[in-house]
Amino acid sequence: MKFSLKLLLWTMIVMAIALGFSGFYFINYVFETSLEREAGQALDENSILSFAFETAALNVPAKYDVLQDSTVEQIAYNLENSGQNTSRMLRLSNEEKEPLYASDGFETDDGLLLETGQGTKTYRTIEMNGHYYIQTGSTVNALDRVLYLETLRDVSVVFNERELGFLVYRQVTVIMLLLGTIIMHLIASWLTKPIRLLTRATKRMAAGDYDYRAKQVSNDELGQLTRDFNKMAEALEENVNELEAEIQAREDFVGAFAHELKTPLTSIIGYADLLRSRKLDEEKSFLSANYIYTEGKRLEAMSIRLLDIMVTRHGQVQFQEIQAESLFSYLRDMFQNNESMQFVYAYDQALLWVESNLIITVLINLLDNACKASEEGSVIEVDGHKEERGYRFTVKDHGIGIPKEELQKITKAFYMVDKSRSRSRNGAGLGLALCTEILALHHSKLEITSTLGEGTNISFFLPDLEKEGEWNEEDNH
Ligand code: ATP
Ligand code: MG
């Protein structure tokens, strides 16, 4: 059952019970009060009749010493008919409580009479022939006799009023409940609107519409819930987007990998087929074997790079203290045989906390790229400078440069600005991807600026580390 319907139903049940009880109590209270008032008047009437009877008895000619039954009847008859509009209903009984005179229709049992004693006044409510009466009883002392006087007062109107009151109240209650249902329905649907909006948002999100947000329509707890839901949706959307981007990146990676694999393999298979199917002269045989060799080498280099990336991503990294100078002397030794370029080294002394092999790999890759992009004899500057709270390495060349729109892409695996040019230099487009992975481990990243035709400047900043501590530990977990 819907929440708003439950709310409505319970409100109506509570309202119906409350109205029912209060109405019943109120009408009954009015009824009791009226009945008491009527009883008071009936007793007063009884007293008046007693007095009248006693007076009448005294005025009877003193012919007899005792009050005759026939005289009692006569007086009772007179009293009965002395009322202004309607005749009174009364009954007079003798000392033995046997009726001497009774008005027409005075047919009640003698239950009240039996309770009535000398000097006491009693009353009760009775129903007779579809009418309600208040019956009163008292004693009358006339001459030497003690008689019993009973009266009946018709109070049907009080009972009818009570019935009418109930009827009217029932009708009013039904109307109130109907009106209440309509009003409560509107209130309940207004109160539960945030829940409906949240449900809709949940369904839309479940159907994959992650950027859908629930509209906040109130500032109460439900409004807070909507705000929290939207925050959660935002976090979820970010996660989903990240995951999707990651999946896309992996797909791109696999696609590019397959493609890069295909080119050298096609050459290798082609030349191998040539060698086995025909007898070639010595020069052609050498050329074919050489193609197979160089393409094979390229594949080998690519697989080593890929392995490096995988190891860097998942491997354990051992940081150690190392002098910046030793990194530069390693580079100097490594590139001293490359006489086609002019390397210029400039650095500040500093103690670095790094995984030195990995940082050397980054620097070698950057220098390799710089060489590949530069003309023979051009200058390549390799700098190491202390900065506030860290150390910055920069590799600057005066080569072909990189178009602005390509700057974002060159760190992606297998991406090469000019594929044929890179391939001719044994490139696989993996060097900068590897550098990015390594630098991420050092909480750093490549910063590339380049002007087409003038050269490229690639740098990275290594923040100072608190020896043995902080991110070394967290990285290894
Ligand atoms: P690999 O490094 O795997 O042998 P690669 O050098 O082609 O191959 P990356 O080092 O990732 O791959 O570089 C990606 C691309 O970025 C290069 O192909 C090149 O087009 C461009 N690039 C990188 N460094 C420079 C540079 N200094 N000057 C001009 N272009 C560059
Ligand atoms: Mg490279």
Side-chain angles (χ1 to χ4, degrees):
M1 192 195 266
K2 270 185 170 180
F3 177 67
S4 58
L5 211 63
K6 273 189 202 169
L7 195 68
L8 178 66
L9 202 71
W10 278 108
T11 314
M12 293 337 289
I13 289 173
V14 171
M15 224 169 114
I17 293 173
L19 282 175
F21 269 111
S22 58
F24 178 79
Y25 176 81
F26 177 71
I27 291 172
N28 241 20
Y29 175 78
V30 171
F31 167 75
E32 299 282 348
T33 314
S34 303
L35 203 61
E36 262 172 45
R37 196 181 56 238
E38 290 291 335
Q41 283 177 4
L43 288 171
D44 286 349
E45 204 175 42
N46 184 296
S47 300
I48 291 166
L49 283 177
S50 298
F51 182 69
F53 188 92
E54 283 165 10
T55 313
L58 284 177
N59 289 336
V60 169
K63 196 167 148 189
Y64 312 105
D65 289 342
V66 290
L67 196 60
Q68 299 288 313
D69 285 352
S70 57
T71 315
V72 170
E73 272 176 50
Q74 187 56 49
I75 297 172
Y77 178 78
N78 289 341
L79 284 178
E80 181 191 340
N81 294 302
S82 67
Q84 280 179 336
N85 296 325
T86 54
S87 59
R88 293 195 175 99
M89 291 183 83
L90 52 88
R91 184 161 70 181
L92 271 159
S93 307
N94 63 15
E95 290 77 352
E96 279 73 44
K97 299 192 174 173
E98 286 159 357
L100 294 175
Y101 178 84
S103 306
D104 280 350
F106 205 124
E107 295 159 1
T108 72
D109 56 33
D110 53 3
L112 187 75
L113 196 58
L114 296 176
E115 287 172 24
T116 312
Q118 179 72 28
T120 56
K121 272 188 182 173
T122 50
Y123 79 91
R124 67 174 182 178
T125 309
I126 55 161
E127 190 192 352
M128 208 167 62
N129 305 326
H131 280 257
Y132 291 91
Y133 298 93
I134 288 177
Q135 184 183 4
T136 62
S138 67
T139 50
V140 181
N141 298 311
L143 299 178
D144 56 339
R145 296 191 70 170
V146 178
L147 302 171
Y148 293 93
L149 171 68
E150 291 169 90
T151 62
L152 280 182
R153 184 181 173 85
D154 192 345
V155 288
S156 299
V157 71
V158 178
F159 280 82
N160 290 343
E161 271 172 6
R162 182 172 72 161
E163 282 313 305
L164 191 70
F166 279 140
L167 184 76
V168 170
Y169 193 78
R170 261 200 302 278
Q171 286 168 349
V172 170
T173 305
V174 169
I175 292 169
M176 289 299 287
L177 283 177
L178 282 176
L179 274 177
T181 308
I182 295 168
I183 294 167
M184 265 317 289
H185 175 69
L186 294 175
I187 292 174
S189 56
W190 173 67
L191 281 178
T192 53
K193 193 177 178 192
I195 299 176
R196 281 200 304 282
L197 292 176
L198 272 175
T199 313
R200 190 186 303 162
T202 320
K203 281 187 185 150
R204 291 280 293 266
M205 284 189 71
D209 196 354
Y210 294 111
D211 60 352
Y212 189 82
R213 296 287 176 271
K215 199 173 150 205
Q216 189 186 335
V217 287
S218 62
N219 274 322
D220 52 15
E221 290 89 334
L222 288 176
Q224 181 64 41
L225 182 67
T226 309
R227 268 200 299 280
D228 292 345
F229 176 86
N230 284 343
K231 267 190 213 153
M232 187 195 72
E234 226 152 82
L236 203 68
E237 190 191 1
E238 264 172 37
N239 280 350
V240 169
N241 287 345
E242 269 171 29
L243 279 176
E244 277 177 353
E246 177 132 0
I247 290 169
Q248 188 59 45
R250 281 186 191 190
E251 274 178 12
D252 290 351
F253 184 88
V254 172
F257 178 59
H259 183 75
E260 288 308 309
L261 214 57
K262 212 179 112 204
T263 326
L265 278 178
T266 314
S267 305
I268 289 171
I269 292 165
Y271 282 109
D273 193 36
L274 198 67
L275 276 176
R276 66 168 190 171
S277 57
R278 253 184 275 162
K279 185 126 186 79
L280 298 172
D281 60 39
E282 205 171 317
E283 196 194 339
K284 277 192 177 154
S285 295
F286 173 76
L287 274 177
S288 300
N290 194 44
Y291 266 120
I292 293 171
Y293 176 78
T294 47
E295 289 302 285
K297 269 287 184 201
R298 224 158 70 72
L299 271 182
E300 185 193 28
M302 194 166 82
S303 63
I304 290 172
R305 280 271 160 79
L306 271 176
L307 211 62
D308 284 347
I309 291 181
M310 296 299 166
V311 169
T312 312
R313 230 175 241 178
H314 303 293
Q316 294 275 312
V317 190
Q318 286 297 319
F319 286 81
Q320 72 252 60
E321 251 180 3
I322 189 162
Q323 286 290 346
E325 192 178 14
S326 66
L327 294 177
F328 280 93
S329 47
Y330 187 94
L331 287 179
R332 195 177 274 138
D333 290 348
M334 183 144 191
F335 285 88
Q336 69 178 352
N337 294 332
N338 188 339
E339 282 163 4
S340 55
M341 299 290 160
Q342 289 183 52
F343 293 97
V344 179
Y345 299 95
Y347 54 88
D348 295 336
Q349 300 278 7
L351 203 57
L352 306 175
W353 180 250
V354 292
E355 157 57 286
S356 59
N357 287 329
L358 291 180
I359 293 299
I360 283 175
T361 307
V362 173
L363 289 168
I364 290 173
N365 268 295
L366 296 183
L367 280 175
D368 180 46
N369 282 352
C371 290
K372 284 196 269 189
S374 303
E375 295 286 327
E376 212 166 291
S378 113
V379 174
I380 294 172
E381 296 160 49
V382 189
D383 285 359
H385 284 301
K386 253 183 163 172
E387 280 186 7
E388 204 185 328
R389 297 210 266 152
Y391 198 86
R392 182 176 289 280
F393 288 94
T394 311
V395 175
K396 185 175 177 189
D397 66 59
H398 301 276
I400 54 169
I402 306 163
K404 253 200 177 65
E405 62 277 11
E406 307 281 349
L407 283 178
Q408 294 294 320
K409 306 178 201 160
I410 57 170
T411 50
K412 282 189 185 159
F414 301 111
Y415 194 84
M416 295 166 260
V417 177
D418 182 345
K419 279 193 188 289
S420 56
R421 185 187 161 93
S422 292
R423 283 201 187 113
S424 69
R425 286 166 166 75
N426 266 345
L430 289 170
L432 291 182
L434 176 61
C435 294
T436 307
E437 295 286 340
I438 293 174
L439 290 177
L441 286 179
H442 289 79
H443 287 229
S444 179
K445 61 179 193 308
L446 289 174
E447 293 165 39
I448 309 169
T449 51
S450 186
T451 313
L452 209 56
E454 286 185 18
T456 306
N457 192 324
I458 304 190
S459 76
F460 60 93
F461 175 75
L462 292 176
D464 277 339
L465 303 175
E466 297 290 327
K467 298 278 168 63
E468 304 292 339
E470 300 195 357
W471 53 259
N472 182 17
E473 272 174 27
E474 71 192 45
D475 286 331
N476 287 335
H477 280 294

mmCIF file of all heavy atoms in Angstrom, residues 293-324:
data_model
loop_
_atom_site.group_PDB
_atom_site.id
_atom_site.type_symbol
_atom_site.label_atom_id
_atom_site.label_comp_id
_atom_site.label_asym_id
_atom_site.label_seq_id
_atom_site.Cartn_x
_atom_site.Cartn_y
_atom_site.Cartn_z
ATOM 1 N N TYR A 293 65.076 -9.094 -38.435
ATOM 2 C CA TYR A 293 65.833 -8.824 -37.205
ATOM 3 C C TYR A 293 65.377 -7.495 -36.568
ATOM 4 O O TYR A 293 65.065 -7.430 -35.388
ATOM 5 C CB TYR A 293 67.327 -8.793 -37.527
ATOM 6 C CG TYR A 293 68.164 -8.426 -36.324
ATOM 7 C CD1 TYR A 293 68.435 -9.374 -35.326
ATOM 8 C CD2 TYR A 293 68.678 -7.125 -36.169
ATOM 9 C CE1 TYR A 293 69.189 -9.018 -34.213
ATOM 10 C CE2 TYR A 293 69.417 -6.775 -35.056
ATOM 11 C CZ TYR A 293 69.685 -7.724 -34.088
ATOM 12 O OH TYR A 293 70.401 -7.381 -32.990
ATOM 13 N N THR A 294 65.345 -6.441 -37.411
ATOM 14 C CA THR A 294 65.003 -5.117 -36.827
ATOM 15 C C THR A 294 63.560 -5.068 -36.326
ATOM 16 O O THR A 294 63.277 -4.515 -35.258
ATOM 17 C CB THR A 294 65.211 -3.961 -37.841
ATOM 18 O OG1 THR A 294 64.605 -4.358 -39.059
ATOM 19 C CG2 THR A 294 66.655 -3.648 -38.069
ATOM 20 N N GLU A 295 62.655 -5.659 -37.100
ATOM 21 C CA GLU A 295 61.259 -5.666 -36.640
ATOM 22 C C GLU A 295 61.112 -6.504 -35.368
ATOM 23 O O GLU A 295 60.361 -6.168 -34.458
ATOM 24 C CB GLU A 295 60.316 -6.209 -37.730
ATOM 25 C CG GLU A 295 60.120 -5.275 -38.905
ATOM 26 C CD GLU A 295 59.568 -3.907 -38.493
ATOM 27 O OE1 GLU A 295 58.372 -3.810 -38.192
ATOM 28 O OE2 GLU A 295 60.345 -2.933 -38.442
ATOM 29 N N GLY A 296 61.847 -7.614 -35.332
ATOM 30 C CA GLY A 296 61.854 -8.465 -34.133
ATOM 31 C C GLY A 296 62.368 -7.691 -32.942
ATOM 32 O O GLY A 296 61.825 -7.763 -31.837
ATOM 33 N N LYS A 297 63.426 -6.894 -33.182
ATOM 34 C CA LYS A 297 64.003 -6.072 -32.113
ATOM 35 C C LYS A 297 62.972 -5.062 -31.602
ATOM 36 O O LYS A 297 62.864 -4.792 -30.407
ATOM 37 C CB LYS A 297 65.228 -5.310 -32.674
ATOM 38 C CG LYS A 297 66.524 -6.076 -32.504
ATOM 39 C CD LYS A 297 66.880 -6.019 -31.048
ATOM 40 C CE LYS A 297 68.205 -6.646 -30.719
ATOM 41 N NZ LYS A 297 68.289 -7.014 -29.301
ATOM 42 N N ARG A 298 62.240 -4.500 -32.561
ATOM 43 C CA ARG A 298 61.227 -3.519 -32.185
ATOM 44 C C ARG A 298 60.154 -4.164 -31.303
ATOM 45 O O ARG A 298 59.712 -3.589 -30.303
ATOM 46 C CB ARG A 298 60.573 -2.936 -33.447
ATOM 47 C CG ARG A 298 60.394 -1.427 -33.380
ATOM 48 C CD ARG A 298 60.269 -0.857 -34.760
ATOM 49 N NE ARG A 298 59.005 -1.240 -35.355
ATOM 50 C CZ ARG A 298 57.823 -0.734 -34.971
ATOM 51 N NH1 ARG A 298 57.769 0.139 -33.991
ATOM 52 N NH2 ARG A 298 56.722 -1.104 -35.568
ATOM 53 N N LEU A 299 59.787 -5.376 -31.696
ATOM 54 C CA LEU A 299 58.793 -6.102 -30.890
ATOM 55 C C LEU A 299 59.330 -6.378 -29.495
ATOM 56 O O LEU A 299 58.626 -6.230 -28.495
ATOM 57 C CB LEU A 299 58.449 -7.443 -31.556
ATOM 58 C CG LEU A 299 57.319 -7.425 -32.563
ATOM 59 C CD1 LEU A 299 57.076 -8.839 -33.088
ATOM 60 C CD2 LEU A 299 56.039 -6.916 -31.918
ATOM 61 N N GLU A 300 60.612 -6.750 -29.465
ATOM 62 C CA GLU A 300 61.243 -7.053 -28.171
ATOM 63 C C GLU A 300 61.237 -5.797 -27.283
ATOM 64 O O GLU A 300 60.851 -5.849 -26.120
ATOM 65 C CB GLU A 300 62.677 -7.523 -28.401
ATOM 66 C CG GLU A 300 63.351 -7.978 -27.119
ATOM 67 C CD GLU A 300 64.865 -8.148 -27.285
ATOM 68 O OE1 GLU A 300 65.466 -7.463 -28.132
ATOM 69 O OE2 GLU A 300 65.431 -8.966 -26.564
ATOM 70 N N ALA A 301 61.653 -4.658 -27.919
ATOM 71 C CA ALA A 301 61.695 -3.408 -27.149
ATOM 72 C C ALA A 301 60.308 -3.065 -26.621
ATOM 73 O O ALA A 301 60.127 -2.643 -25.473
ATOM 74 C CB ALA A 301 62.218 -2.279 -28.033
ATOM 75 N N MET A 302 59.308 -3.286 -27.494
ATOM 76 C CA MET A 302 57.939 -2.960 -27.090
ATOM 77 C C MET A 302 57.493 -3.832 -25.917
ATOM 78 O O MET A 302 56.897 -3.333 -24.952
ATOM 79 C CB MET A 302 56.998 -3.183 -28.277
ATOM 80 C CG MET A 302 55.643 -2.576 -28.080
ATOM 81 S SD MET A 302 54.764 -2.516 -29.617
ATOM 82 C CE MET A 302 54.129 -4.162 -29.696
ATOM 83 N N SER A 303 57.808 -5.112 -26.005
ATOM 84 C CA SER A 303 57.362 -6.000 -24.915
ATOM 85 C C SER A 303 58.082 -5.658 -23.622
ATOM 86 O O SER A 303 57.498 -5.711 -22.538
ATOM 87 C CB SER A 303 57.546 -7.470 -25.288
ATOM 88 O OG SER A 303 58.907 -7.740 -25.477
ATOM 89 N N ILE A 304 59.372 -5.229 -23.736
ATOM 90 C CA ILE A 304 60.093 -4.843 -22.505
ATOM 91 C C ILE A 304 59.438 -3.612 -21.878
ATOM 92 O O ILE A 304 59.204 -3.542 -20.681
ATOM 93 C CB ILE A 304 61.583 -4.577 -22.821
ATOM 94 C CG1 ILE A 304 62.252 -5.916 -23.160
ATOM 95 C CG2 ILE A 304 62.296 -3.907 -21.654
ATOM 96 C CD1 ILE A 304 63.659 -5.798 -23.681
ATOM 97 N N ARG A 305 59.100 -2.634 -22.750
ATOM 98 C CA ARG A 305 58.447 -1.423 -22.251
ATOM 99 C C ARG A 305 57.119 -1.754 -21.555
ATOM 100 O O ARG A 305 56.812 -1.243 -20.481
ATOM 101 C CB ARG A 305 58.134 -0.466 -23.406
ATOM 102 C CG ARG A 305 59.311 0.334 -23.845
ATOM 103 C CD ARG A 305 59.361 1.631 -23.028
ATOM 104 N NE ARG A 305 60.690 2.196 -23.065
ATOM 105 C CZ ARG A 305 61.166 2.892 -24.092
ATOM 106 N NH1 ARG A 305 60.428 3.085 -25.151
ATOM 107 N NH2 ARG A 305 62.380 3.380 -24.049
ATOM 108 N N LEU A 306 56.349 -2.614 -22.232
ATOM 109 C CA LEU A 306 55.040 -2.986 -21.672
ATOM 110 C C LEU A 306 55.205 -3.642 -20.314
ATOM 111 O O LEU A 306 54.475 -3.351 -19.360
ATOM 112 C CB LEU A 306 54.326 -3.972 -22.609
ATOM 113 C CG LEU A 306 53.455 -3.345 -23.675
ATOM 114 C CD1 LEU A 306 52.884 -4.420 -24.582
ATOM 115 C CD2 LEU A 306 52.325 -2.560 -23.034
ATOM 116 N N LEU A 307 56.210 -4.506 -20.271
ATOM 117 C CA LEU A 307 56.487 -5.191 -19.010
ATOM 118 C C LEU A 307 56.838 -4.178 -17.923
ATOM 119 O O LEU A 307 56.374 -4.277 -16.782
ATOM 120 C CB LEU A 307 57.645 -6.171 -19.227
ATOM 121 C CG LEU A 307 57.615 -7.420 -18.364
ATOM 122 C CD1 LEU A 307 56.369 -8.228 -18.682
ATOM 123 C CD2 LEU A 307 58.861 -8.277 -18.630
ATOM 124 N N ASP A 308 57.678 -3.191 -18.336
ATOM 125 C CA ASP A 308 58.068 -2.136 -17.387
ATOM 126 C C ASP A 308 56.822 -1.432 -16.835
ATOM 127 O O ASP A 308 56.711 -1.174 -15.637
ATOM 128 C CB ASP A 308 58.965 -1.099 -18.070
ATOM 129 C CG ASP A 308 60.371 -1.641 -18.239
ATOM 130 O OD1 ASP A 308 60.665 -2.674 -17.610
ATOM 131 O OD2 ASP A 308 61.156 -1.047 -19.006
ATOM 132 N N ILE A 309 55.890 -1.128 -17.744
ATOM 133 C CA ILE A 309 54.672 -0.416 -17.311
ATOM 134 C C ILE A 309 53.891 -1.270 -16.316
ATOM 135 O O ILE A 309 53.454 -0.802 -15.257
ATOM 136 C CB ILE A 309 53.787 -0.062 -18.530
ATOM 137 C CG1 ILE A 309 54.475 0.999 -19.366
ATOM 138 C CG2 ILE A 309 52.419 0.434 -18.063
ATOM 139 C CD1 ILE A 309 53.712 1.448 -20.583
ATOM 140 N N MET A 310 53.751 -2.555 -16.650
ATOM 141 C CA MET A 310 52.999 -3.455 -15.766
ATOM 142 C C MET A 310 53.666 -3.556 -14.395
ATOM 143 O O MET A 310 52.998 -3.484 -13.361
ATOM 144 C CB MET A 310 52.909 -4.876 -16.361
ATOM 145 C CG MET A 310 52.143 -4.939 -17.645
ATOM 146 S SD MET A 310 50.455 -4.399 -17.388
ATOM 147 C CE MET A 310 49.933 -4.157 -19.056
ATOM 148 N N VAL A 311 55.007 -3.725 -14.437
ATOM 149 C CA VAL A 311 55.738 -3.866 -13.172
ATOM 150 C C VAL A 311 55.601 -2.594 -12.343
ATOM 151 O O VAL A 311 55.347 -2.624 -11.145
ATOM 152 C CB VAL A 311 57.232 -4.200 -13.444
ATOM 153 C CG1 VAL A 311 58.044 -4.091 -12.165
ATOM 154 C CG2 VAL A 311 57.344 -5.584 -14.041
ATOM 155 N N THR A 312 55.733 -1.449 -13.022
ATOM 156 C CA THR A 312 55.630 -0.181 -12.305
ATOM 157 C C THR A 312 54.248 -0.040 -11.674
ATOM 158 O O THR A 312 54.095 0.429 -10.555
ATOM 159 C CB THR A 312 55.858 0.995 -13.279
ATOM 160 O OG1 THR A 312 57.010 0.706 -14.028
ATOM 161 C CG2 THR A 312 56.020 2.292 -12.536
ATOM 162 N N ARG A 313 53.221 -0.434 -12.435
ATOM 163 C CA ARG A 313 51.852 -0.297 -11.934
ATOM 164 C C ARG A 313 51.608 -1.160 -10.696
ATOM 165 O O ARG A 313 50.947 -0.762 -9.770
ATOM 166 C CB ARG A 313 50.884 -0.725 -13.040
ATOM 167 C CG ARG A 313 49.810 0.292 -13.271
ATOM 168 C CD ARG A 313 48.952 -0.090 -14.414
ATOM 169 N NE ARG A 313 49.000 0.893 -15.484
ATOM 170 C CZ ARG A 313 48.359 0.762 -16.634
ATOM 171 N NH1 ARG A 313 47.681 -0.331 -16.872
ATOM 172 N NH2 ARG A 313 48.427 1.695 -17.537
ATOM 173 N N HIS A 314 52.131 -2.374 -10.730
ATOM 174 C CA HIS A 314 51.773 -3.315 -9.656
ATOM 175 C C HIS A 314 52.918 -3.659 -8.716
ATOM 176 O O HIS A 314 52.705 -4.322 -7.713
ATOM 177 C CB HIS A 314 51.231 -4.613 -10.264
ATOM 178 C CG HIS A 314 50.059 -4.368 -11.159
ATOM 179 N ND1 HIS A 314 48.860 -3.923 -10.681
ATOM 180 C CD2 HIS A 314 49.923 -4.454 -12.497
ATOM 181 C CE1 HIS A 314 48.021 -3.767 -11.696
ATOM 182 N NE2 HIS A 314 48.653 -4.075 -12.817
ATOM 183 N N GLY A 315 54.143 -3.257 -9.114
ATOM 184 C CA GLY A 315 55.300 -3.721 -8.332
ATOM 185 C C GLY A 315 55.520 -2.943 -7.058
ATOM 186 O O GLY A 315 54.921 -1.898 -6.815
ATOM 187 N N GLN A 316 56.376 -3.491 -6.215
ATOM 188 C CA GLN A 316 56.774 -2.814 -4.990
ATOM 189 C C GLN A 316 57.902 -1.835 -5.336
ATOM 190 O O GLN A 316 58.758 -2.139 -6.152
ATOM 191 C CB GLN A 316 57.335 -3.853 -4.011
ATOM 192 C CG GLN A 316 56.305 -4.848 -3.539
ATOM 193 C CD GLN A 316 55.527 -4.325 -2.355
ATOM 194 O OE1 GLN A 316 56.113 -3.829 -1.411
ATOM 195 N NE2 GLN A 316 54.220 -4.417 -2.427
ATOM 196 N N VAL A 317 57.878 -0.676 -4.734
ATOM 197 C CA VAL A 317 58.915 0.313 -5.041
ATOM 198 C C VAL A 317 59.750 0.570 -3.792
ATOM 199 O O VAL A 317 59.206 0.797 -2.724
ATOM 200 C CB VAL A 317 58.275 1.637 -5.510
ATOM 201 C CG1 VAL A 317 59.331 2.566 -6.062
ATOM 202 C CG2 VAL A 317 57.210 1.355 -6.545
ATOM 203 N N GLN A 318 61.054 0.496 -3.979
ATOM 204 C CA GLN A 318 61.963 0.722 -2.853
ATOM 205 C C GLN A 318 62.598 2.097 -2.998
ATOM 206 O O GLN A 318 63.439 2.316 -3.861
ATOM 207 C CB GLN A 318 63.080 -0.350 -2.862
ATOM 208 C CG GLN A 318 62.634 -1.734 -2.414
ATOM 209 C CD GLN A 318 62.155 -1.726 -0.972
ATOM 210 O OE1 GLN A 318 62.754 -1.081 -0.123
ATOM 211 N NE2 GLN A 318 61.065 -2.424 -0.698
ATOM 212 N N PHE A 319 62.205 3.017 -2.157
ATOM 213 C CA PHE A 319 62.805 4.359 -2.226
ATOM 214 C C PHE A 319 64.142 4.353 -1.488
ATOM 215 O O PHE A 319 64.318 3.623 -0.520
ATOM 216 C CB PHE A 319 61.862 5.377 -1.581
ATOM 217 C CG PHE A 319 60.671 5.697 -2.438
ATOM 218 C CD1 PHE A 319 59.570 4.858 -2.460
ATOM 219 C CD2 PHE A 319 60.659 6.825 -3.245
ATOM 220 C CE1 PHE A 319 58.480 5.125 -3.252
ATOM 221 C CE2 PHE A 319 59.560 7.106 -4.053
ATOM 222 C CZ PHE A 319 58.479 6.262 -4.054
ATOM 223 N N GLN A 320 65.055 5.155 -2.038
ATOM 224 C CA GLN A 320 66.307 5.297 -1.316
ATOM 225 C C GLN A 320 66.867 6.721 -1.505
ATOM 226 O O GLN A 320 66.431 7.425 -2.412
ATOM 227 C CB GLN A 320 67.344 4.250 -1.768
ATOM 228 C CG GLN A 320 67.922 4.457 -3.128
ATOM 229 C CD GLN A 320 67.394 3.439 -4.112
ATOM 230 O OE1 GLN A 320 66.195 3.351 -4.354
ATOM 231 N NE2 GLN A 320 68.263 2.667 -4.723
ATOM 232 N N GLU A 321 67.777 7.053 -0.593
ATOM 233 C CA GLU A 321 68.394 8.379 -0.684
ATOM 234 C C GLU A 321 69.444 8.342 -1.786
ATOM 235 O O GLU A 321 70.232 7.410 -1.843
ATOM 236 C CB GLU A 321 69.081 8.695 0.642
ATOM 237 C CG GLU A 321 68.355 9.754 1.410
ATOM 238 C CD GLU A 321 69.029 10.060 2.728
ATOM 239 O OE1 GLU A 321 70.095 9.491 3.023
ATOM 240 O OE2 GLU A 321 68.469 10.849 3.447
ATOM 241 N N ILE A 322 69.448 9.371 -2.616
ATOM 242 C CA ILE A 322 70.451 9.385 -3.686
ATOM 243 C C ILE A 322 70.821 10.832 -4.023
ATOM 244 O O ILE A 322 69.965 11.725 -3.963
ATOM 245 C CB ILE A 322 69.930 8.615 -4.924
ATOM 246 C CG1 ILE A 322 71.037 8.444 -5.949
ATOM 247 C CG2 ILE A 322 68.735 9.282 -5.547
ATOM 248 C CD1 ILE A 322 70.799 7.388 -6.961
ATOM 249 N N GLN A 323 72.085 11.030 -4.335
ATOM 250 C CA GLN A 323 72.538 12.371 -4.723
ATOM 251 C C GLN A 323 72.084 12.647 -6.137
ATOM 252 O O GLN A 323 72.173 11.776 -7.013
ATOM 253 C CB GLN A 323 74.073 12.422 -4.680
ATOM 254 C CG GLN A 323 74.677 12.451 -3.298
ATOM 255 C CD GLN A 323 74.432 13.785 -2.582
ATOM 256 O OE1 GLN A 323 74.034 14.765 -3.209
ATOM 257 N NE2 GLN A 323 74.672 13.793 -1.277
ATOM 258 N N ALA A 324 71.598 13.846 -6.387
ATOM 259 C CA ALA A 324 71.168 14.207 -7.744
ATOM 260 C C ALA A 324 72.334 14.035 -8.711
ATOM 261 O O ALA A 324 72.172 13.613 -9.865
ATOM 262 C CB ALA A 324 70.663 15.640 -7.742
#
